[in-house]
Amino acid sequence: MEAPHSSPAADAGTRLTLNSPSEMQELGRRIAKLLRPGDLVMLTGELGAGKTTLTRGLGEGLGVRGAVTSPTFVIARVHPSLVGGPALVHVDAYRLGGGLDEMEDLDLDVSLPESVVVVEWGEGKVEELSDDRLQVLIDRGVGGARIDSDDRRIVTVTGIGPRWAGAGVESL
């Protein structure tokens, strides 16, 4: 993994180059150390970019029950904590219109303010769930050009809102 670079975003952030799925999963474990109940994590990236792999690392870091797999066909999965921490709610918003009403309509067996909510394909759909969120952009290319390795990803992690000021995002 190459050294982090600062993000051009106005909020707290960092930019990383990852060279393998195992590095993506390890990033998830590192991000998990920063998370607390009520946090919203939005994952953006094309199909196969590594969103679920990152979420698998988040689940490992949070110590949740069950294999973290893509929730594409069930839309949302709840992974309860095995260690007394927050549950992980993993949502695939690809087919959702967006907004808090649709999230509530999923009838999740968990209180969202007491959980860590990770939403794949959530951009433009779930921002109203929280003024504070961790936005993770996973990109296979730089400036429109393809990266020379199938496994290499440029990951930009940005903490949006006061919750993330000084939370350690820059040191990922």
PDB file of all heavy atoms in Angstrom, residues 51-53 55-56 65-77 79 88 90-92 120:
ATOM      1  N   LYS A  51     -16.357  -2.470  -3.072  1.00  0.00           N
ATOM      2  CA  LYS A  51     -17.217  -1.963  -2.000  1.00  0.00           C
ATOM      3  C   LYS A  51     -17.536  -3.045  -0.970  1.00  0.00           C
ATOM      4  O   LYS A  51     -17.418  -2.819   0.230  1.00  0.00           O
ATOM      5  CB  LYS A  51     -18.511  -1.374  -2.596  1.00  0.00           C
ATOM      6  CG  LYS A  51     -18.278  -0.180  -3.516  1.00  0.00           C
ATOM      7  CD  LYS A  51     -19.571   0.358  -4.113  1.00  0.00           C
ATOM      8  CE  LYS A  51     -20.277  -0.588  -5.029  1.00  0.00           C
ATOM      9  NZ  LYS A  51     -19.560  -0.920  -6.269  1.00  0.00           N
ATOM     10  N   THR A  52     -17.904  -4.220  -1.434  1.00  0.00           N
ATOM     11  CA  THR A  52     -18.227  -5.303  -0.507  1.00  0.00           C
ATOM     12  C   THR A  52     -16.977  -5.826   0.187  1.00  0.00           C
ATOM     13  O   THR A  52     -17.015  -6.176   1.369  1.00  0.00           O
ATOM     14  CB  THR A  52     -18.986  -6.429  -1.232  1.00  0.00           C
ATOM     15  OG1 THR A  52     -20.206  -5.887  -1.770  1.00  0.00           O
ATOM     16  CG2 THR A  52     -19.332  -7.575  -0.291  1.00  0.00           C
ATOM     17  N   THR A  53     -15.859  -5.842  -0.498  1.00  0.00           N
ATOM     18  CA  THR A  53     -14.599  -6.264   0.127  1.00  0.00           C
ATOM     19  C   THR A  53     -14.237  -5.315   1.272  1.00  0.00           C
ATOM     20  O   THR A  53     -13.839  -5.754   2.350  1.00  0.00           O
ATOM     21  CB  THR A  53     -13.467  -6.315  -0.919  1.00  0.00           C
ATOM     22  OG1 THR A  53     -13.827  -7.240  -1.944  1.00  0.00           O
ATOM     23  CG2 THR A  53     -12.154  -6.730  -0.295  1.00  0.00           C
ATOM     24  N   THR A  55     -16.373  -3.532   2.963  1.00  0.00           N
ATOM     25  CA  THR A  55     -17.383  -3.763   4.002  1.00  0.00           C
ATOM     26  C   THR A  55     -17.071  -5.035   4.784  1.00  0.00           C
ATOM     27  O   THR A  55     -17.301  -5.097   5.994  1.00  0.00           O
ATOM     28  CB  THR A  55     -18.792  -3.819   3.387  1.00  0.00           C
ATOM     29  OG1 THR A  55     -19.015  -2.627   2.627  1.00  0.00           O
ATOM     30  CG2 THR A  55     -19.858  -3.934   4.462  1.00  0.00           C
ATOM     31  N   ARG A  56     -16.534  -6.042   4.126  1.00  0.00           N
ATOM     32  CA  ARG A  56     -16.126  -7.258   4.817  1.00  0.00           C
ATOM     33  C   ARG A  56     -15.072  -6.919   5.885  1.00  0.00           C
ATOM     34  O   ARG A  56     -15.133  -7.407   7.013  1.00  0.00           O
ATOM     35  CB  ARG A  56     -15.569  -8.265   3.807  1.00  0.00           C
ATOM     36  CG  ARG A  56     -15.384  -9.651   4.350  1.00  0.00           C
ATOM     37  CD  ARG A  56     -15.062 -10.654   3.240  1.00  0.00           C
ATOM     38  NE  ARG A  56     -16.172 -10.762   2.297  1.00  0.00           N
ATOM     39  CZ  ARG A  56     -16.096 -10.494   0.980  1.00  0.00           C
ATOM     40  NH1 ARG A  56     -14.960 -10.139   0.435  1.00  0.00           N
ATOM     41  NH2 ARG A  56     -17.160 -10.609   0.221  1.00  0.00           N
ATOM     42  N   ARG A  65     -21.368 -10.625  13.576  1.00  0.00           N
ATOM     43  CA  ARG A  65     -21.709 -12.011  13.254  1.00  0.00           C
ATOM     44  C   ARG A  65     -22.069 -12.140  11.774  1.00  0.00           C
ATOM     45  O   ARG A  65     -22.689 -11.261  11.187  1.00  0.00           O
ATOM     46  CB  ARG A  65     -22.895 -12.460  14.102  1.00  0.00           C
ATOM     47  CG  ARG A  65     -23.235 -13.937  13.900  1.00  0.00           C
ATOM     48  CD  ARG A  65     -24.396 -14.369  14.747  1.00  0.00           C
ATOM     49  NE  ARG A  65     -25.619 -13.825  14.166  1.00  0.00           N
ATOM     50  CZ  ARG A  65     -26.695 -13.474  14.864  1.00  0.00           C
ATOM     51  NH1 ARG A  65     -26.708 -13.607  16.165  1.00  0.00           N
ATOM     52  NH2 ARG A  65     -27.755 -13.003  14.263  1.00  0.00           N
ATOM     53  N   GLY A  66     -21.685 -13.258  11.208  1.00  0.00           N
ATOM     54  CA  GLY A  66     -22.096 -13.586   9.845  1.00  0.00           C
ATOM     55  C   GLY A  66     -21.106 -13.119   8.801  1.00  0.00           C
ATOM     56  O   GLY A  66     -20.386 -12.159   8.990  1.00  0.00           O
ATOM     57  N   ALA A  67     -21.116 -13.851   7.692  1.00  0.00           N
ATOM     58  CA  ALA A  67     -20.270 -13.489   6.564  1.00  0.00           C
ATOM     59  C   ALA A  67     -20.842 -12.248   5.891  1.00  0.00           C
ATOM     60  O   ALA A  67     -22.034 -12.193   5.599  1.00  0.00           O
ATOM     61  CB  ALA A  67     -20.200 -14.650   5.571  1.00  0.00           C
ATOM     62  N   VAL A  68     -20.001 -11.259   5.672  1.00  0.00           N
ATOM     63  CA  VAL A  68     -20.443 -10.045   4.989  1.00  0.00           C
ATOM     64  C   VAL A  68     -20.351 -10.299   3.493  1.00  0.00           C
ATOM     65  O   VAL A  68     -19.267 -10.475   2.939  1.00  0.00           O
ATOM     66  CB  VAL A  68     -19.592  -8.825   5.398  1.00  0.00           C
ATOM     67  CG1 VAL A  68     -19.984  -7.599   4.585  1.00  0.00           C
ATOM     68  CG2 VAL A  68     -19.744  -8.559   6.889  1.00  0.00           C
ATOM     69  N   THR A  69     -21.510 -10.352   2.860  1.00  0.00           N
ATOM     70  CA  THR A  69     -21.602 -10.555   1.418  1.00  0.00           C
ATOM     71  C   THR A  69     -22.453  -9.442   0.832  1.00  0.00           C
ATOM     72  O   THR A  69     -23.118  -8.705   1.562  1.00  0.00           O
ATOM     73  CB  THR A  69     -22.233 -11.929   1.085  1.00  0.00           C
ATOM     74  OG1 THR A  69     -23.539 -11.983   1.660  1.00  0.00           O
ATOM     75  CG2 THR A  69     -21.386 -13.073   1.615  1.00  0.00           C
ATOM     76  N   SER A  70     -22.464  -9.343  -0.477  1.00  0.00           N
ATOM     77  CA  SER A  70     -23.224  -8.286  -1.127  1.00  0.00           C
ATOM     78  C   SER A  70     -24.716  -8.444  -0.846  1.00  0.00           C
ATOM     79  O   SER A  70     -25.271  -9.525  -1.018  1.00  0.00           O
ATOM     80  CB  SER A  70     -22.992  -8.306  -2.631  1.00  0.00           C
ATOM     81  OG  SER A  70     -23.783  -7.319  -3.254  1.00  0.00           O
ATOM     82  N   PRO A  71     -25.375  -7.361  -0.418  1.00  0.00           N
ATOM     83  CA  PRO A  71     -26.814  -7.434  -0.149  1.00  0.00           C
ATOM     84  C   PRO A  71     -27.667  -7.114  -1.375  1.00  0.00           C
ATOM     85  O   PRO A  71     -28.821  -6.727  -1.260  1.00  0.00           O
ATOM     86  CB  PRO A  71     -27.004  -6.372   0.938  1.00  0.00           C
ATOM     87  CG  PRO A  71     -25.981  -5.337   0.608  1.00  0.00           C
ATOM     88  CD  PRO A  71     -24.795  -6.105   0.041  1.00  0.00           C
ATOM     89  N   THR A  72     -27.124  -7.281  -2.579  1.00  0.00           N
ATOM     90  CA  THR A  72     -27.802  -6.882  -3.809  1.00  0.00           C
ATOM     91  C   THR A  72     -29.234  -7.391  -3.901  1.00  0.00           C
ATOM     92  O   THR A  72     -30.146  -6.642  -4.216  1.00  0.00           O
ATOM     93  CB  THR A  72     -27.011  -7.358  -5.036  1.00  0.00           C
ATOM     94  OG1 THR A  72     -25.711  -6.765  -4.987  1.00  0.00           O
ATOM     95  CG2 THR A  72     -27.697  -6.964  -6.329  1.00  0.00           C
ATOM     96  N   PHE A  73     -29.447  -8.661  -3.611  1.00  0.00           N
ATOM     97  CA  PHE A  73     -30.776  -9.239  -3.824  1.00  0.00           C
ATOM     98  C   PHE A  73     -31.695  -9.096  -2.626  1.00  0.00           C
ATOM     99  O   PHE A  73     -32.906  -9.175  -2.764  1.00  0.00           O
ATOM    100  CB  PHE A  73     -30.643 -10.702  -4.253  1.00  0.00           C
ATOM    101  CG  PHE A  73     -29.883 -10.834  -5.541  1.00  0.00           C
ATOM    102  CD1 PHE A  73     -28.583 -11.306  -5.545  1.00  0.00           C
ATOM    103  CD2 PHE A  73     -30.443 -10.424  -6.738  1.00  0.00           C
ATOM    104  CE1 PHE A  73     -27.867 -11.401  -6.737  1.00  0.00           C
ATOM    105  CE2 PHE A  73     -29.739 -10.507  -7.927  1.00  0.00           C
ATOM    106  CZ  PHE A  73     -28.443 -10.998  -7.922  1.00  0.00           C
ATOM    107  N   VAL A  74     -31.140  -8.858  -1.444  1.00  0.00           N
ATOM    108  CA  VAL A  74     -31.978  -8.671  -0.259  1.00  0.00           C
ATOM    109  C   VAL A  74     -32.053  -7.200   0.139  1.00  0.00           C
ATOM    110  O   VAL A  74     -32.783  -6.835   1.035  1.00  0.00           O
ATOM    111  CB  VAL A  74     -31.469  -9.505   0.940  1.00  0.00           C
ATOM    112  CG1 VAL A  74     -31.597 -10.985   0.648  1.00  0.00           C
ATOM    113  CG2 VAL A  74     -30.060  -9.128   1.323  1.00  0.00           C
ATOM    114  N   ILE A  75     -31.311  -6.364  -0.513  1.00  0.00           N
ATOM    115  CA  ILE A  75     -31.210  -4.917  -0.317  1.00  0.00           C
ATOM    116  C   ILE A  75     -30.488  -4.549   0.977  1.00  0.00           C
ATOM    117  O   ILE A  75     -29.672  -3.658   0.986  1.00  0.00           O
ATOM    118  CB  ILE A  75     -32.567  -4.206  -0.434  1.00  0.00           C
ATOM    119  CG1 ILE A  75     -33.157  -4.499  -1.812  1.00  0.00           C
ATOM    120  CG2 ILE A  75     -32.421  -2.717  -0.182  1.00  0.00           C
ATOM    121  CD1 ILE A  75     -34.328  -3.685  -2.215  1.00  0.00           C
ATOM    122  N   ALA A  76     -30.757  -5.236   2.081  1.00  0.00           N
ATOM    123  CA  ALA A  76     -30.077  -4.900   3.336  1.00  0.00           C
ATOM    124  C   ALA A  76     -29.866  -6.145   4.184  1.00  0.00           C
ATOM    125  O   ALA A  76     -30.717  -7.034   4.210  1.00  0.00           O
ATOM    126  CB  ALA A  76     -30.883  -3.875   4.117  1.00  0.00           C
ATOM    127  N   ARG A  77     -28.731  -6.176   4.863  1.00  0.00           N
ATOM    128  CA  ARG A  77     -28.426  -7.243   5.816  1.00  0.00           C
ATOM    129  C   ARG A  77     -27.997  -6.598   7.121  1.00  0.00           C
ATOM    130  O   ARG A  77     -27.257  -5.619   7.124  1.00  0.00           O
ATOM    131  CB  ARG A  77     -27.276  -8.117   5.314  1.00  0.00           C
ATOM    132  CG  ARG A  77     -27.640  -9.091   4.262  1.00  0.00           C
ATOM    133  CD  ARG A  77     -26.548 -10.161   4.108  1.00  0.00           C
ATOM    134  NE  ARG A  77     -27.025 -11.250   3.299  1.00  0.00           N
ATOM    135  CZ  ARG A  77     -26.878 -11.326   1.978  1.00  0.00           C
ATOM    136  NH1 ARG A  77     -26.247 -10.389   1.340  1.00  0.00           N
ATOM    137  NH2 ARG A  77     -27.355 -12.352   1.321  1.00  0.00           N
ATOM    138  N   HIS A  79     -25.928  -7.321  10.580  1.00  0.00           N
ATOM    139  CA  HIS A  79     -24.936  -8.188  11.224  1.00  0.00           C
ATOM    140  C   HIS A  79     -24.792  -7.733  12.669  1.00  0.00           C
ATOM    141  O   HIS A  79     -24.154  -6.709  12.933  1.00  0.00           O
ATOM    142  CB  HIS A  79     -23.582  -8.088  10.505  1.00  0.00           C
ATOM    143  CG  HIS A  79     -23.633  -8.526   9.073  1.00  0.00           C
ATOM    144  ND1 HIS A  79     -23.491  -9.839   8.705  1.00  0.00           N
ATOM    145  CD2 HIS A  79     -23.823  -7.817   7.935  1.00  0.00           C
ATOM    146  CE1 HIS A  79     -23.578  -9.932   7.382  1.00  0.00           C
ATOM    147  NE2 HIS A  79     -23.783  -8.716   6.898  1.00  0.00           N
ATOM    148  N   LEU A  88     -23.765  -3.914  12.334  1.00  0.00           N
ATOM    149  CA  LEU A  88     -23.450  -3.407  11.001  1.00  0.00           C
ATOM    150  C   LEU A  88     -24.672  -3.621  10.126  1.00  0.00           C
ATOM    151  O   LEU A  88     -25.139  -4.755   9.974  1.00  0.00           O
ATOM    152  CB  LEU A  88     -22.241  -4.143  10.416  1.00  0.00           C
ATOM    153  CG  LEU A  88     -21.918  -3.856   8.945  1.00  0.00           C
ATOM    154  CD1 LEU A  88     -21.456  -2.410   8.774  1.00  0.00           C
ATOM    155  CD2 LEU A  88     -20.851  -4.824   8.439  1.00  0.00           C
ATOM    156  N   HIS A  90     -25.738  -3.341   6.401  1.00  0.00           N
ATOM    157  CA  HIS A  90     -25.119  -3.262   5.080  1.00  0.00           C
ATOM    158  C   HIS A  90     -26.230  -3.175   4.036  1.00  0.00           C
ATOM    159  O   HIS A  90     -27.009  -4.108   3.878  1.00  0.00           O
ATOM    160  CB  HIS A  90     -24.247  -4.504   4.876  1.00  0.00           C
ATOM    161  CG  HIS A  90     -23.455  -4.506   3.616  1.00  0.00           C
ATOM    162  ND1 HIS A  90     -22.895  -5.668   3.119  1.00  0.00           N
ATOM    163  CD2 HIS A  90     -23.109  -3.533   2.755  1.00  0.00           C
ATOM    164  CE1 HIS A  90     -22.239  -5.390   2.007  1.00  0.00           C
ATOM    165  NE2 HIS A  90     -22.360  -4.103   1.769  1.00  0.00           N
ATOM    166  N   VAL A  91     -26.297  -2.052   3.339  1.00  0.00           N
ATOM    167  CA  VAL A  91     -27.389  -1.763   2.415  1.00  0.00           C
ATOM    168  C   VAL A  91     -26.850  -1.609   0.999  1.00  0.00           C
ATOM    169  O   VAL A  91     -25.820  -0.969   0.787  1.00  0.00           O
ATOM    170  CB  VAL A  91     -28.121  -0.453   2.819  1.00  0.00           C
ATOM    171  CG1 VAL A  91     -29.247  -0.131   1.850  1.00  0.00           C
ATOM    172  CG2 VAL A  91     -28.636  -0.540   4.247  1.00  0.00           C
ATOM    173  N   ASP A  92     -27.554  -2.165   0.042  1.00  0.00           N
ATOM    174  CA  ASP A  92     -27.283  -1.935  -1.369  1.00  0.00           C
ATOM    175  C   ASP A  92     -28.423  -1.070  -1.891  1.00  0.00           C
ATOM    176  O   ASP A  92     -29.554  -1.537  -2.050  1.00  0.00           O
ATOM    177  CB  ASP A  92     -27.219  -3.256  -2.134  1.00  0.00           C
ATOM    178  CG  ASP A  92     -26.834  -3.068  -3.595  1.00  0.00           C
ATOM    179  OD1 ASP A  92     -27.169  -2.026  -4.184  1.00  0.00           O
ATOM    180  OD2 ASP A  92     -26.201  -3.975  -4.149  1.00  0.00           O
ATOM    181  N   GLU A 120     -23.920   0.914  -0.004  1.00  0.00           N
ATOM    182  CA  GLU A 120     -23.326   0.873  -1.332  1.00  0.00           C
ATOM    183  C   GLU A 120     -24.295   1.531  -2.304  1.00  0.00           C
ATOM    184  O   GLU A 120     -25.500   1.404  -2.162  1.00  0.00           O
ATOM    185  CB  GLU A 120     -23.079  -0.573  -1.771  1.00  0.00           C
ATOM    186  CG  GLU A 120     -22.100  -1.328  -0.903  1.00  0.00           C
ATOM    187  CD  GLU A 120     -21.794  -2.714  -1.447  1.00  0.00           C
ATOM    188  OE1 GLU A 120     -21.993  -2.966  -2.657  1.00  0.00           O
ATOM    189  OE2 GLU A 120     -21.345  -3.557  -0.649  1.00  0.00           O
TER     190      GLU A 120
END
